[in-house]
């Protein structure tokens, strides 16, 4: 694992953008994208760049079950706001959270991932080490699934909703097995509340207790962290 320490999220976005740009110049066509606050500075770099994404495809990690793409709290909406409205891709895929049929929604998404193998995957990380919405205990060979969110994730995501009761309890998430198939992975983590998760990811045992520890088995992972997120590394 390659670890890049940065001073702040702005610098983190710039470092991540360098890797993204380089990968696109070397032929990457499919980007795996993430939501949350961590990738925002990267998306800002992308939207203010002169890179044309109109020949590229994006595949997002996850979506809340029960939210329409037009819902302001949906990950669809987030991606439109932060990236796609300003830099359209040829095709942009996000799991269909508005489909109550989990079997159909997750199978359809696995087909999309299979048809669009991910060249470069962007990841954030949850305080408990989750990636996408793969909470602790998720199988390392998992494909797209309907998952229940843990109390800690619901609590962390409450800041985006008016009331804790409004936070969806379920999501459709790409599985860890699919994430691991990406050729290259960048994980972004900022702030003290990510320090334990980053230490477990990098220095801890490879265990389903920390979903991101699976990345130790991937050949091309770069972790971009600020001082606070890196503070518990060995
Ligand atoms: N499903 C998302 C994850 O993909 C994201 O990595 C995590 C951390 O978000 P943030 O970057 O805002 O800390 O939040 C959510 O749970």
């Amino acid at each position: 694992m390659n670890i890049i320490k940065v001073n702040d999220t702005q610098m983190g976005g710039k470092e991540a953008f360098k890797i993204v740009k380089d990968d696109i110049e070397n032929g990457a066509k499919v980007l795996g994208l993430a939501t949350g606050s961590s990738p925002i500075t990267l998306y800002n770099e992308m939207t203010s760049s002169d890179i044309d994404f109109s020949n590229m495809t994006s595949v997002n990690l996850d979506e809340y079950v029960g939210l329409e793409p037009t819902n302001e709290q949906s990950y669809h909406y987030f991606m439109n706001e932060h990236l796609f409205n300003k830099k359209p891709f040829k095709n942009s895929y996000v799991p269909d959270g508005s489909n109550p049929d989990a079997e159909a929604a997750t199978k359809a998404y696995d087909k999309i991932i299979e048809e669009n193998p991910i060249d470069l995957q962007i990841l954030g990380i949850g305080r408990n080490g989750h990636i996408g919405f793969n909470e602790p205990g998720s199988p390392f060979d998992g494909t797209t699934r309907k998952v229940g969110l843990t109390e800690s994730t619901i609590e962390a995501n409450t800041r985006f909703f008016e009331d804790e009761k409004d936070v969806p309890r379920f999501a459709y998430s790409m599985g860890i097995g699919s994430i691991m198939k990406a050729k290259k992975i960048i994980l972004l983590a900022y702030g003290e509340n990510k320090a334990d998760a980053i230490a477990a990811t990098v220095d801890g045992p490879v265990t389903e207790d920390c979903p991101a520890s699976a990345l130790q088995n991937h050949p091309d992972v770069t972790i971009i962290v600020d001082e606070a997120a890196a503070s518990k590394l060995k």
Side-chain angles (χ1 to χ4, degrees):
M1 286 173 155
N2 178 28
I3 297 177
I4 301 178
K5 285 190 194 163
V6 295
N7 295 336
D8 54 28
T9 59
Q10 298 303 326
M11 193 175 157
K14 287 194 196 313
E15 287 295 328
F17 178 69
K18 276 194 230 162
I19 300 172
V20 172
K21 186 167 181 273
D22 193 57
D23 214 37
I24 293 172
E25 283 168 1
N26 283 310
K29 285 274 175 256
V30 182
L31 299 186
L33 299 176
T35 51
S37 53
S38 306
I40 289 178
T41 54
L42 165 62
Y43 296 155
N44 291 344
E45 294 291 325
M46 288 166 73
T47 54
S48 57
S49 76
D50 55 10
I51 300 182
D52 178 15
F53 294 93
S54 64
N55 268 326
M56 296 189 62
T57 296
S58 68
V59 184
N60 258 79
L61 284 169
D62 46 13
E63 177 61 287
Y64 290 117
V65 174
L67 300 191
E68 296 287 334
T70 49
N71 186 307
E72 288 184 20
Q73 314 302 342
S74 73
Y75 284 169
H76 264 101
Y77 192 93
F78 176 99
M79 291 308 301
N80 288 339
E81 282 290 296
H82 289 282
L83 187 59
F84 303 146
N85 288 346
K86 296 169 196 154
K87 283 281 187 187
F89 283 58
K90 181 175 65 177
N91 292 118
S92 284
Y93 300 105
V94 181
D96 183 4
S98 68
N99 186 352
D101 182 344
E103 172 83 9
T106 55
K107 275 218 171 108
Y109 211 63
D110 277 338
K111 189 157 179 277
I112 286 167
I113 299 166
E114 209 171 289
E115 289 169 355
N116 298 278
I118 295 167
D119 292 302
L120 172 60
Q121 176 68 55
I122 307 300
L123 294 176
I125 187 168
R127 294 180 207 172
N128 58 6
H130 75 241
I131 45 177
F133 266 131
N134 295 288
E135 299 278 25
S138 298
F140 280 0
D141 60 356
T143 53
T144 309
R145 295 149 20 261
K146 179 179 179 179
V147 291
L149 308 188
T150 63
E151 277 309 314
S152 106
T153 301
I154 292 167
E155 188 210 308
N157 290 356
T158 299
R159 66 199 151 116
F160 300 112
F161 293 81
E162 267 181 26
D163 194 288
E164 197 244 42
K165 287 199 299 293
D166 300 332
V167 186
R169 268 40 184 176
F170 292 93
Y172 295 138
S173 180
M174 198 189 277
I176 297 175
S178 307
I179 293 171
M180 291 291 283
K181 282 192 186 149
K183 291 195 194 95
K184 190 187 267 300
I185 296 177
I186 303 175
L187 187 149
L188 303 160
Y190 308 114
E192 203 198 328
N193 60 13
K194 300 292 171 71
D196 286 322
I198 288 298
T201 299
V202 177
D203 297 321
V206 177
T207 162
E208 288 176 359
D209 294 343
C210 175
S213 69
L215 300 175
Q216 289 182 31
N217 291 333
H218 190 284
D220 190 351
V221 177
T222 300
I223 301 187
I224 297 178
V225 276
D226 64 4
E227 286 295 334
S231 61
K232 293 187 178 170
L233 286 173
K234 273 187 194 150

